[in-house]
Amino acid sequence: MLIHYIENSFIIDIKSTTFRGALEELLECCPLGRNQKRSLLVKKLMEQENTVSSFLGQGIALPHLKVPLRKSYLFALGRVRTPLKDPSVHSSEKIRLIVLLLASSKIDNYLATLSSFAKIMQTIHLPEDASSLSLEDFKEQVVKGCRLLPAKRTRKNRTFN
């Protein structure tokens, strides 16, 4: 259940004015293994961003990466209060929320989860004045928005050769 991950996610206010800086801030609050270099993860995320934008629309970006983790997933959310000034990232001036998803390298259905989470994030309606809320109130709004979504049971994907 994804709401569990959102309730226990790290939510911060982004101070940086670039997408790269925002990713660095988000990774800084993530508990990663000792041998994982955050600068290398930022480089991989930026390469991925330059290939395919993680901008979902409605002010939300969902950069993602598979890394060695103890948990299945790790989320870090960053609220962007001032527009990002980053010409290398598409639609950076429209981003209001960056949701960094780190998935364990042991997870097979990572892209299916990413797709489900992207749909969830696109249906959450964050208030336009979300930047004026306190950080705790903002986190509460995000968690409440995720809880209010109807839980649909989906059939298990079947594969055949």
Side-chain angles (χ1 to χ4, degrees), residues 89-131:
V89 179
H90 311 291
S91 306
S92 63
E93 69 279 354
K94 299 175 188 171
I95 296 174
R96 295 186 309 142
L97 178 66
I98 300 173
V99 182
L100 175 64
L101 167 61
L102 299 178
S104 171
S105 52
K106 298 175 186 174
I107 299 289
D108 291 332
N109 61 350
Y110 154 70
L111 292 177
T113 302
L114 179 67
S115 173
S116 298
F117 189 71
K119 287 178 187 174
I120 288 171
M121 291 310 295
Q122 286 180 315
T123 58
I124 291 177
H125 296 289
L126 295 174
E128 286 295 321
D129 62 345
S131 63

Side-chain angles (χ1 to χ4, degrees), residues 58-81:
Q58 299 172 341
I60 300 170
L62 183 58
H64 51 89
L65 197 60
K66 283 180 89 168
V67 296
L69 290 174
R70 289 184 182 177
K71 298 179 177 185
S72 301
Y73 301 103
L74 184 65
F75 289 94
L77 287 79
R79 176 173 55 170
V80 179
R81 289 184 168 202

Side-chain angles (χ1 to χ4, degrees), residues 2-140:
L2 287 176
I3 187 64
H4 167 74
Y5 294 105
I6 295 301
E7 287 175 335
N8 296 313
S9 64
F10 304 95
I11 298 182
I12 63 170
D13 278 328
I14 300 295
K15 294 176 181 73
S16 179
T17 59
T18 64
F19 193 74
R20 175 183 287 278
L23 292 175
E24 289 170 354
E25 287 182 50
L26 288 168
L27 282 169
E28 198 60 40
C29 70
C30 295
L32 299 173
R34 291 181 189 198
N35 57 352
Q36 293 187 41
K37 295 189 177 185
R38 285 177 170 79
S39 59
L40 181 61
L41 296 179
V42 169
K43 182 180 176 188
K44 288 181 180 180
L45 285 163
M46 287 303 294
E47 287 171 0
Q48 187 175 354
E49 187 69 29
N50 289 329
T51 304
V52 177
S53 176
S54 64
F55 186 67
L56 300 175
Q58 299 172 341
I60 300 170
L62 183 58
H64 51 89
L65 197 60
K66 283 180 89 168
V67 296
L69 290 174
R70 289 184 182 177
K71 298 179 177 185
S72 301
Y73 301 103
L74 184 65
F75 289 94
L77 287 79
R79 176 173 55 170
V80 179
R81 289 184 168 202
T82 57
L84 298 176
K85 308 274 189 260
D86 198 338
S88 65
V89 179
H90 311 291
S91 306
S92 63
E93 69 279 354
K94 299 175 188 171
I95 296 174
R96 295 186 309 142
L97 178 66
I98 300 173
V99 182
L100 175 64
L101 167 61
L102 299 178
S104 171
S105 52
K106 298 175 186 174
I107 299 289
D108 291 332
N109 61 350
Y110 154 70
L111 292 177
T113 302
L114 179 67
S115 173
S116 298
F117 189 71
K119 287 178 187 174
I120 288 171
M121 291 310 295
Q122 286 180 315
T123 58
I124 291 177
H125 296 289
L126 295 174
E128 286 295 321
D129 62 345
S131 63
S132 65
L133 298 173
S134 71
L135 192 58
E136 283 302 313
D137 290 341
F138 179 71
K139 181 176 181 175
E140 195 174 299

